[in-house]
Amino acid sequence: MNPAKPRPWQELKRQALARWHMLGERERTALKLAGWALALLLGWLIAVAPGLRVLKQTPAQLEAVELQLQDMQGLALEARELRSTPTVSAAQATQALQAASDHLGPAARLTVNGDRAVLTVTGVAAEALQAWLGEVRSAARARPLEASLQRGPQGYSGTVVLGLSGAAP
């Protein structure tokens, strides 16, 4: 490189220093204060504010995770209880299914074929359908395999297919 020719950044530095020395004492003090204020603002935005935001959000996130954990533990307990329940005979399962379906009234029709049962409903309320499902899970040891339900003004209509594999022959 040619030593006589200054580099571009050195030239810029020289020009900035020349301008700095041409400024009055008040202007230099004001620029120093502005520089410090800018440095403090950047330090706050980069280093402090993100940490404070995390500290503020952490308790709510921990509470949400704790609630999810409790829900999962409840579901795991329910699964263990369902696994430990004794099986019922096919006749008992069919009888329990029929009794639960009778609670739904004329809006429901049950068809049992081997180890499957199909419930066809027309205009059944969500609460009644939920209660029916809980009853058939516990009394008949049936589990839902598929559901094709549509919500209408009178309630749900469609079919629910249940597996009776929990019932003993």
Side-chain angles (χ1 to χ4, degrees):
M1 281 202 154
N2 188 351
K5 195 171 188 181
R7 294 185 178 156
W9 62 271
Q10 288 175 334
E11 181 61 29
L12 287 174
K13 181 180 175 184
R14 188 189 61 74
Q15 288 175 359
L17 281 174
R19 285 189 183 148
W20 178 259
H21 291 298
M22 288 190 319
L23 294 174
E25 188 61 35
R26 285 177 115 181
E27 293 163 329
R28 279 189 246 167
T29 304
L31 281 175
K32 286 179 186 178
L33 287 174
W36 276 106
L38 183 61
L40 286 173
L41 176 66
L42 286 174
W44 175 267
L45 292 175
I46 292 171
V48 179
L52 287 176
R53 190 176 327 114
V54 168
L55 285 175
K56 286 179 184 177
Q57 294 172 348
T58 299
Q61 289 175 342
L62 285 174
E63 186 176 331
V65 168
E66 183 67 30
L67 288 173
Q68 287 177 347
L69 176 64
Q70 289 173 1
D71 287 345
M72 290 174 62
Q73 287 173 338
L75 290 172
L77 178 63
E78 182 181 355
R80 280 192 299 275
E81 288 173 356
L82 287 173
R83 278 192 211 114
S84 67
T85 57
T87 59
V88 295
S89 69
Q92 287 175 323
T94 303
Q95 210 172 27
L97 275 172
Q98 192 61 52
S101 300
D102 288 345
H103 291 119
L104 295 176
R109 190 181 80 239
L110 181 70
T111 307
V112 179
N113 188 10
D115 66 342
R116 288 187 182 239
V118 178
L119 178 76
T120 305
V121 294
T122 306
V124 174
E127 296 81 19
L129 198 56
Q130 184 179 7
W132 173 84
L133 188 57
E135 189 174 342
V136 299
R137 283 179 64 199
S138 63
R141 309 297 190 266
R143 58 187 167 85
L145 300 176
E146 68 180 77
S148 175
L149 298 169
Q150 293 80 34
R151 180 181 234 168
Q154 287 84 26
Y156 285 94
S157 298
T159 59
V160 178
V161 179
L162 300 167
L164 302 176
S165 60

